[in-house]
C-alpha cells in the first residue's frame, strides 16, 4: 500500500497540480494587492472618490465606520464592496490563467508539430507489382 501511494505521488500530474496550487496561492496575494492598491484607487478617481471596500450596509441596529468595526461590535453588515473586490480579483485571475493556458497550448502545439515533412521518394515497383507482372507475362505465354 505504501508503494502504491509513492507511485501515486510520484506521477507527474499530481506534482504538477501541487505546484499549480502553490503558485496559485502566491499569485492570489499579488492579484489582491493589484486590485486593492492599484485598481481600486483608479476606479475611485473616476467615480468621485468612492472606495469599494468601504461600501456596506448595516443590517441591524447600530452604526459603524467600517466593516471591520462592525465585525468587532458583532453587527451584521451587507458588504457589497468586499464582494465587488472579490469579483474583480476573480476576473483578473481568470484572465491571467486564460492567457497562461493559451500560451502553454501554443508552445505545446509548436513543439509537437514536425519541422518539415520529408518529401516522398520514388522507390520503384513494390514486390506485389513485380509478381503481378510475372503472372501476367506467364499467362500470355500459355
Amino acid at each position: 500500500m505504501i508503494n502504491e501511494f509513492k507511485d501515486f505521488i510520484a506521477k507527474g500530474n499530481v506534482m504538477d497540480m501541487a505546484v499549480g496550487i502553490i503558485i496559485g496561492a502566491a499569485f492570489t496575494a499579488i492579484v489582491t494587492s493589484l486590485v486593492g492598491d492599484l485598481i481600486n484607487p483608479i476606479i475611485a478617481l473616476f467615480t468621485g472618490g468612492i472606495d469599494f471596500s468601504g461600501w456596506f450596509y448595516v443590517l441591524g441596529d447600530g452604526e459603524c465606520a467600517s466593516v471591520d468595526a462592525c465585525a468587532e461590535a458583532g453587527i451584521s453588515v451587507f458588504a457589497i464592496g468586499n464582494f465587488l473586490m472579490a469579483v474583480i480579483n476573480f476576473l483578473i485571475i481568470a484572465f491571467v490563467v486564460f492567457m497562461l493556458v493559451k500560451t502553454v497550448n501554443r508552445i505545446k502545439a509548436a513543439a509537437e508539430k514536425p519541422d518539415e515533412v520529408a518529401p516522398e521518394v520514388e522507390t520503384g515497383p513494390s514486390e506485389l507489382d513485380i509478381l503481378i507482372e510475372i503472372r501476367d507475362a506467364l499467362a500470355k505465354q500459355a
Side-chain angles (χ1 to χ4, degrees):
M1 186 151 152
I2 291 177
N3 287 333
E4 289 179 83
F5 182 71
K6 285 180 186 178
D7 291 341
F8 172 74
I9 293 298
K11 285 185 179 177
N13 293 340
V14 174
M15 297 306 272
D16 293 344
M17 185 179 66
V19 169
I21 290 170
I22 293 168
I23 299 265
F27 187 70
T28 299
I30 292 171
V31 172
T32 301
S33 175
L34 173 74
V35 171
D37 300 333
L38 301 177
I39 293 177
N40 279 347
I42 292 171
I43 292 172
L45 180 70
F46 289 113
T47 59
I50 295 174
D51 180 18
F52 285 124
S53 62
W55 187 12
F56 66 95
Y57 295 103
V58 177
L59 297 177
D61 292 333
E63 291 190 22
C64 337
S66 69
V67 174
D68 294 334
C70 287
E72 286 179 15
I75 300 172
S76 296
V77 294
F78 190 68
I80 297 171
N82 288 343
F83 176 73
L84 286 177
M85 295 234 337
V87 169
I88 292 170
N89 283 346
F90 170 77
L91 292 174
I92 291 171
I93 291 171
F95 179 73
V96 170
V97 168
F98 168 74
M99 295 304 291
L100 181 67
V101 169
K102 188 175 179 180
T103 303
V104 168
N105 287 342
R106 188 178 314 131
I107 291 169
K108 274 186 178 179
E112 292 173 357
K113 183 178 126 182
D115 293 336
E116 285 186 31
V117 177
E120 288 190 26
V121 178
E122 189 69 33
T123 58
S126 68
E127 186 178 331
L128 180 62
D129 293 333
I130 294 172
L131 289 173
I132 291 172
E133 284 181 34
I134 294 172
R135 181 196 67 194
D136 293 343
L138 289 173
K140 283 183 183 178
Q141 289 179 355

